[in-house]
Amino acid sequence: MIEIFTGIIEEVGKLSEIKKDRDLYTLKVSCKKVLENIKKGDSIATNGVCLTVTELGDDFYKAEVMVETINSTNFKNLKPLDNLNLERALSPNKRLDGHIVQGHIDGIGEIINILNSGNEIIYKIKFESDNFKYIVPKGSIALDGISLTVSKVYKNYFEVSIIPTTIAETNLKYKKIGDKINIETDIIGRYIYSFVNKKNKSKITREFLIENGF
């Protein structure tokens, strides 16, 4: 079963502990709201990473994470008491208020500037990755699991304009210049890019159709 998320953060939890046993890490996350109606085996997006719950308590859950996931996300920078964006997987009766987020991180960005501009705060994110090509102005993007809209795109960085409410309700309020942030590009945009840029494009062209009486 493929889990999807909306990018609308439900709660900011705290990392209680992170333990390594050979090639496996176990994260213990303190939280409250996202534990409602959750059972072992369910998924919770943790800083945008889809994790499977392996253990539950009254005020925490645990999840196991492979070394590859640690190294390809900002989990490698985690330390106890860090703040984590949390969201339960989308249920059939829930509104999709953000955009489709899979919890599959495309790379790690770096916050290179934070600018207060009236009623919005502009974050500049440096992202040196081949996946940068999927980022377009006015397109959707998930930063640490937060559904946002790209406002501007430059050569190797992009901007998002964020309202104060979003800042207050996510871990962005704790972020500073130089911090790393998980990036997931828009899956719909990826599919469109792949379709348009297929190497083996269809041989059915306008000229072909005319020649064959269409």
Side-chain angles (χ1 to χ4, degrees), residues 71-160:
N71 291 334
S72 60
T73 68
N74 64 6
F75 281 3
K76 62 185 175 185
N77 305 118
L78 285 180
K79 56 187 182 299
L81 300 183
D82 275 355
N83 298 282
L84 304 170
N85 291 327
L86 308 177
E87 181 194 355
R88 290 166 290 187
L90 183 66
S91 59
N93 61 345
K94 186 178 178 182
R95 294 174 58 184
L96 182 58
D97 291 325
H99 74 281
I100 296 174
V101 177
Q102 294 185 300
H104 301 160
I105 303 304
D106 293 318
I108 307 171
E110 179 184 349
I111 299 173
I112 58 174
N113 197 16
I114 302 174
L115 176 66
N116 287 282
S117 179
N119 292 322
E120 62 181 5
I121 302 174
I122 299 171
Y123 282 70
K124 291 185 178 182
I125 312 294
K126 186 177 181 180
F127 187 43
E128 296 182 314
S129 166
D130 184 56
N131 292 319
F132 190 91
K133 61 179 176 284
Y134 302 122
I135 301 175
V136 296
K138 310 305 178 186
S140 296
I141 197 164
L143 300 182
D144 268 5
I146 309 165
S147 175
L148 298 168
T149 300
V150 177
S151 53
K152 294 181 181 179
V153 177
Y154 299 90
K155 184 177 180 180
N156 65 347
Y157 73 92
F158 62 92
E159 294 181 359
V160 288

Side-chain angles (χ1 to χ4, degrees), residues 2-208:
I2 299 176
E3 303 284 10
I4 62 172
F5 306 88
T6 68
I8 304 300
I9 304 305
E10 298 182 279
E11 178 180 7
V12 177
K14 283 190 180 293
L15 180 66
S16 298
E17 61 183 34
I18 179 168
K19 292 183 177 180
K20 183 181 180 183
D21 182 10
R22 281 176 271 184
D23 60 346
L24 195 67
Y25 286 79
T26 299
L27 304 185
K28 180 180 179 182
V29 181
S30 298
C31 53
K32 190 71 175 179
K33 183 175 181 180
V34 296
L35 298 178
E36 297 174 7
N37 301 315
I38 284 288
K39 62 184 183 301
K40 185 177 177 180
D42 286 348
S43 298
I44 296 177
T46 307
N47 264 15
V49 183
C50 179
L51 297 182
T52 300
V53 174
T54 58
E55 185 180 334
L56 281 169
D58 291 335
D59 59 355
F60 74 89
Y61 68 88
K62 289 185 179 181
E64 295 175 342
V65 187
M66 299 298 293
V67 171
E68 182 181 353
T69 301
I70 293 288
N71 291 334
S72 60
T73 68
N74 64 6
F75 281 3
K76 62 185 175 185
N77 305 118
L78 285 180
K79 56 187 182 299
L81 300 183
D82 275 355
N83 298 282
L84 304 170
N85 291 327
L86 308 177
E87 181 194 355
R88 290 166 290 187
L90 183 66
S91 59
N93 61 345
K94 186 178 178 182
R95 294 174 58 184
L96 182 58
D97 291 325
H99 74 281
I100 296 174
V101 177
Q102 294 185 300
H104 301 160
I105 303 304
D106 293 318
I108 307 171
E110 179 184 349
I111 299 173
I112 58 174
N113 197 16
I114 302 174
L115 176 66
N116 287 282
S117 179
N119 292 322
E120 62 181 5
I121 302 174
I122 299 171
Y123 282 70
K124 291 185 178 182
I125 312 294
K126 186 177 181 180
F127 187 43
E128 296 182 314
S129 166
D130 184 56
N131 292 319
F132 190 91
K133 61 179 176 284
Y134 302 122
I135 301 175
V136 296
K138 310 305 178 186
S140 296
I141 197 164
L143 300 182
D144 268 5
I146 309 165
S147 175
L148 298 168
T149 300
V150 177
S151 53
K152 294 181 181 179
V153 177
Y154 299 90
K155 184 177 180 180
N156 65 347
Y157 73 92
F158 62 92
E159 294 181 359
V160 288
S161 298
I162 308 174
I163 60 174
T165 300
T166 300
I167 301 290
E169 295 180 352
T170 67
N171 70 355
L172 285 176
K173 60 179 171 287
Y174 305 108
K175 295 287 186 180
K176 58 186 183 301
I177 294 174
D179 282 354
K180 308 298 184 181
I181 195 161
N182 290 330
I183 294 177
E184 179 183 338
T185 56
D186 183 20
I187 185 60
I188 296 176
R190 292 176 68 99
Y191 278 129
I192 293 173
Y193 184 94
S194 177
F195 178 78
V196 171
N197 291 279
K198 273 186 177 179
K199 291 183 179 179
N200 299 318
K201 291 186 177 180
S202 172
K203 296 181 180 179
I204 301 176
T205 63
R206 181 173 181 274
E207 289 73 20
F208 174 87

